[in-house]
Amino acid sequence: MPRPKKKRKVNNPPKMLGFKPFGIRFCETEHVVMQYEEYETVKLVIYDDLSQDEAADQMEVSRPTLTRIYNSALKKIGQAFVEGKSILIKGGDFEFEENWYKCKRCFKLIVEVDNDLKSDNCSSGDVHDLVNLNE
């Protein structure tokens, strides 16, 4: 019997829900779903310029596991880029370091600190939990 899959650590959620190709309506494109942990590997390795070993430590996974997740993310990005598909970022087997929410009106990210929601320039209070939204 295989051992249970370990949740990957994701520091912060992405600011957006995904990307779409320029010049094509979103409803007219096919979608590629990128999981949160795939987004995190691209952010850590490419954007933050960490080695795969450092990124694996930060996500609390082995280096070979990080490489598999990272290669899957690159394949999805390449497919979306070449075939003109939209990328949706959702789901996966992950957990955030903190409790994150997104405002349903202005789409700003909101973090929970000491059981209080903290956001810059958002007071609507109409929020949804990013973890439960993306399961």
Side-chain angles (χ1 to χ4, degrees):
M1 181 166 146
R3 69 184 176 123
K5 202 173 193 181
K6 188 176 174 184
K7 291 197 180 281
R8 283 71 189 231
K9 298 282 185 196
V10 175
N11 196 17
N12 296 318
K15 296 179 192 285
M16 66 291 180
L17 300 175
F19 283 95
K20 75 172 203 73
F22 181 75
I24 302 173
R25 289 185 182 161
F26 181 77
C27 60
E28 294 175 358
T29 65
E30 290 184 38
H31 311 298
V32 173
V33 176
M34 177 178 283
Q35 296 179 337
Y36 271 78
E37 62 263 28
E38 292 171 327
Y39 163 83
E40 184 76 357
T41 62
V42 171
K43 180 187 147 313
L44 293 173
V45 174
I46 296 175
Y47 184 78
D48 293 342
D49 200 27
L50 297 180
S51 71
Q52 287 192 8
D53 286 328
E54 294 168 321
D57 288 343
Q58 193 161 331
M59 289 183 68
E60 297 182 5
V61 297
S62 68
R63 206 246 345 119
T65 296
L66 180 113
T67 300
R68 278 192 301 278
I69 297 168
Y70 179 69
N71 287 340
S72 174
L74 292 180
K75 185 172 178 96
K76 290 176 181 182
I77 292 168
Q79 179 185 11
F81 187 73
V82 171
E83 297 176 14
K85 294 182 177 183
S86 298
I87 298 174
L88 299 177
I89 304 171
K90 64 181 187 177
D93 206 14
F94 71 97
E95 61 186 12
F96 292 123
E97 293 288 321
E98 300 172 299
N99 295 327
W100 285 95
Y101 300 85
K102 187 169 269 218
C103 178
K104 292 180 183 177
R105 294 185 186 164
C106 68
F107 304 106
K108 291 191 187 272
L109 290 172
I110 301 166
V111 65
E112 184 179 29
V113 178
D114 298 326
N115 295 321
D116 188 25
L117 299 180
K118 301 287 184 197
S119 170
D120 296 331
N121 306 321
C122 178
S123 59
S124 77
D126 193 11
V127 300
H128 55 90
D129 182 351
L130 287 180
V131 172
N132 293 325
L133 174 73
N134 290 294
E135 287 181 339

